Amino acid sequence: MTAVSSPRILCANVRLIVQVLVCLFAGFHVFVLTKPEYPQSWYDHQRLMQLACITLSVAILPFLTSSVARQLFRALVCISVVLLAVLLAHGVHGRPVIIESLTLALLIITAVWWSGLIRTLELGDALLLAAQLSIAWYAAISILWLVLSVSNGLLPDPFAFFDGFVNPRLFGAWVTLSWPLLLLRPRLLKNVPPTLAKFLIFLLFSLAAVWWSLAFFSGTRATWLAAAVMLALTALCSPVSRRIALHGVLVIAAGYLLQQLLFVKMPLWMTGVEVSDALDRLREGASLSNRDVLWRAAWQGIVERPWLGAGPMMFSATNNGVASTTHNIVLQLAYEWGVPFTLLVIAATVCTLWKQFQRCRIDASPASVQTRLVLWMCIVGGLIEAQLDGLLCAPHSQLLFVVLVAWLVSLDESPPVRLTAIQENQWKVLRFAPLVMMLILWWAIWPELSNLEPWETETLDLTGVGHFQPRFWLQGVIFPPP
């Protein structure tokens, strides 16, 4: 019986892994690389892809696993209390408040669900390989595009090069959340000959260097700062973490050399025209690029409404002429949700990260501790960059951050689920509550979605700024109400 069933189980696992890889690879392609036909669409496209991912999750996951039923019960209770408080404090007439509240609530719910699914089906290794293949795909297309452009006499420009991002700085956020994943060899490929194993390690190092060359070319100073701080914190963990941190330093150094070769020297050799170096942004030093304007506006709003805040998404109603996010997640939470709620979020985040840091130090399994460590690096790096950029507001980086959190939580052992008969009956109904929330969210965004491009163009003209400030759809600013 065992001899017969074992191959079947192995085939089922292989089939499942292949399906996950294909879906994730295709999803990344649709989410980032596929450009719709309507103009100036990227932020809208990413927001719709985020909503589509959440919709599929809350529609399919209720039928796949009940391993996180208790966690979901608690999450739904907490979210219901917070949503009720938001509606009482800010009213139901502000659709942007409802849209932002429901989106964040559903991201939390899906993170809990995804963590259970990843743990139950042991998808961590498949996720790692899928992420690395996706990065390789994007990096290969980028380098090919660079070579073709330069051979045709076109000099590389970060704002035109990163197709799929309304701003090359947003690409830096993507690198921050993903590059530590390239420091590990997938365990799915552990049973390969030693020669091939060394070659795979070399390929991963080269891919990470190319990824960092793109990060340097993007000119995202927040990414560089986040990497420096995150590597310093990682080196404090354990001997294993110090080796990984040193590996990361070597990757970044190789990425810098590649950036100089591919984006500075090669265009000069092939066109005879000198190209401006994206690293010139380092010469700006402590220049805040108008962030001080955003931070002062946020602080003024916090002082005026410290307890309950102005309401979710309401910083986008300031029409400050710079951006529709504060470029600091702490200030944004305090401005929109109030100081007490912000302090609770900070306390919960610090406590969780500290517990994961401790587990990285005491975990007895080298493979497990390294996976936990690189995920911890991704999340810490993302939180550091979120103090200077809108990493946790942009749909693509927001969704990736939630997936990383779910993946990290999935590494923790979950107690066995024992539901009483009453709880079983409650679960049959409550597991579809997120789907109802999702339907309300789609109803709330329909006025914009049904007339998106003309409405955005009209709003852009009325703001008088002359450029898009992405957050509340592409035009960013909630002015005037549609």
Side-chain angles (χ1 to χ4, degrees):
M1 180 69 178
T2 304
V4 175
S5 60
S6 181
R8 291 179 180 175
I9 295 174
L10 180 61
C11 291
N13 288 337
V14 171
R15 191 182 304 114
L16 177 63
I17 289 170
V18 170
Q19 290 172 348
V20 170
L21 287 173
V22 170
C23 291
L24 289 172
F25 195 64
F28 179 91
H29 184 81
V30 172
F31 191 73
V32 176
L33 302 177
T34 306
K35 185 172 182 178
E37 295 300 323
Y38 49 91
Q40 298 171 324
S41 60
W42 266 117
Y43 199 87
D44 296 337
H45 176 61
Q46 290 168 357
R47 180 167 289 279
L48 287 172
M49 290 301 100
Q50 181 196 59
L51 294 173
C53 289
I54 299 174
T55 303
L56 289 174
S57 297
V58 299
I60 296 174
L61 289 177
F63 301 99
L64 295 184
T65 178
S66 61
S67 63
V68 290
R70 289 187 183 276
Q71 293 92 322
L72 277 173
F73 280 143
R74 290 194 291 267
L76 284 171
V77 170
C78 293
I79 286 170
S80 299
V81 171
V82 173
L83 288 178
L84 180 61
V86 167
L87 294 178
L88 290 175
H90 305 290
V92 296
H93 59 279
R95 283 188 310 101
V97 171
I98 298 174
I99 291 170
E100 180 73 353
S101 301
L102 286 177
T103 301
L104 295 178
L106 286 165
L107 282 171
I108 294 171
I109 290 170
T110 51
V112 174
W113 229 318
W114 290 338
S115 67
L117 191 67
I118 295 169
R119 183 190 300 115
T120 302
L121 299 181
E122 298 180 352
L123 298 179
D125 294 333
L127 277 171
L128 179 60
L129 183 56
Q132 293 171 345
L133 288 174
S134 299
I135 293 171
W137 176 263
Y138 189 91
I141 288 179
S142 298
I143 298 303
L144 179 61
W145 188 10
L146 172 67
V147 172
L148 292 175
S149 299
V150 173
S151 62
N152 290 326
L154 300 176
L155 299 179
D157 174 21
F159 284 87
F161 185 83
F162 293 103
D163 193 21
F165 298 89
V166 291
N167 187 321
R169 316 307 181 223
L170 295 177
F171 174 80
W174 189 271
V175 173
T176 298
L177 292 173
S178 61
W179 78 269
L181 299 176
L182 299 175
L183 302 178
L184 287 184
R185 197 184 86 191
R187 281 189 290 176
L188 288 177
L189 305 177
K190 62 182 179 181
N191 297 321
V192 296
T195 304
L196 181 57
K198 292 180 180 179
F199 181 66
L200 289 174
I201 293 173
F202 171 75
L203 281 181
L204 274 177
F205 183 89
S206 302
L207 177 58
V210 171
W211 203 229
W212 257 104
S213 72
L214 297 177
F216 280 121
F217 178 61
S218 72
T220 313
R221 290 176 296 166
T223 296
W224 313 337
L225 177 62
V229 177
M230 175 257 290
L231 287 173
L233 293 175
T234 301
L236 298 175
C237 182
S238 66
V240 172
S241 72
R242 281 188 280 277
R243 287 195 295 271
I244 290 180
L246 177 60
H247 189 184
V249 171
L250 295 176
V251 161
I252 293 173
Y256 170 75
L257 295 177
L258 269 179
Q259 184 268 340
Q260 291 293 306
L261 175 63
L262 294 174
F263 294 97
V264 179
K265 299 301 181 183
M266 186 176 73
L268 177 62
W269 296 335
M270 297 186 70
T271 66
V273 180
E274 191 168 343
V275 182
S276 61
D277 191 344
L279 291 181
D280 289 342
R281 281 177 56 79
L282 286 177
R283 296 173 187 167
E284 298 178 21
S287 169
L288 295 175
S289 301
N290 284 328
R291 285 175 175 82
D292 53 329
V293 176
L294 301 173
W295 294 347
R296 281 196 299 268
W299 181 254
Q300 182 179 354
I302 293 168
V303 171
E304 293 173 356
R305 294 175 292 267
W307 297 107
L308 298 175
M313 188 67 80
M314 283 300 101
F315 188 80
S316 299
T318 59
N319 191 26
N320 54 61
V322 178
S324 55
T325 70
T326 63
H327 284 54
N328 182 291
I329 190 60
V330 173
L331 289 176
Q332 186 152 319
L333 279 173
Y335 181 96
E336 297 185 345
W337 294 80
V339 174
F341 183 82
T342 303
L343 293 176
L344 286 174
V345 171
I346 292 173
T349 302
V350 171
C351 181
T352 302
L353 289 176
W354 176 249
K355 287 181 180 178
Q356 293 294 338
F357 183 79
Q358 292 295 98
R359 287 169 181 163
C360 288
R361 301 186 69 177
I362 65 176
D363 198 323
S365 170
S368 174
V369 71
Q370 290 183 23
T371 303
R372 188 185 298 274
L373 183 63
V374 296
L375 289 172
W376 184 87
M377 292 168 65
C378 292
I379 292 168
V380 170
L383 290 173
I384 294 169
E385 183 162 338
Q387 309 311 313
L388 298 165
D389 274 339
L391 179 145
L392 293 179
C393 295
H396 58 300
S397 53
Q398 191 180 65
L399 184 63
L400 178 57
F401 184 85
V402 169
V403 172
L404 291 170
V405 170
W407 187 358
L408 178 61
V409 172
S410 74
L411 299 178
D412 299 335
E413 291 187 7
S414 179
V417 179
R418 294 186 180 91
L419 300 179
T420 64
I422 296 176
Q423 289 174 330
E424 285 281 3
N425 293 329
Q426 290 175 338
W427 171 249
K428 291 177 182 178
V429 176
L430 287 178
R431 61 180 175 171
F432 295 108
L435 182 58
V436 175
M437 295 168 61
M438 193 71 237
L439 294 174
I440 295 173
L441 179 57
W442 280 107
W443 168 81
I445 68 173
W446 182 250
E448 288 91 8
L449 198 57
S450 60
N451 193 40
L452 191 56
E453 194 175 328
W455 168 67
E456 286 190 336
T457 303
E458 178 185 358
T459 306
L460 177 64
D461 294 336
L462 289 171
T463 60
V465 175
H467 65 269
F468 287 103
Q469 305 171 64
R471 186 185 175 200
F472 185 60
W473 300 101
L474 176 60
Q475 53 83 19
V477 181
I478 305 172
F479 172 79

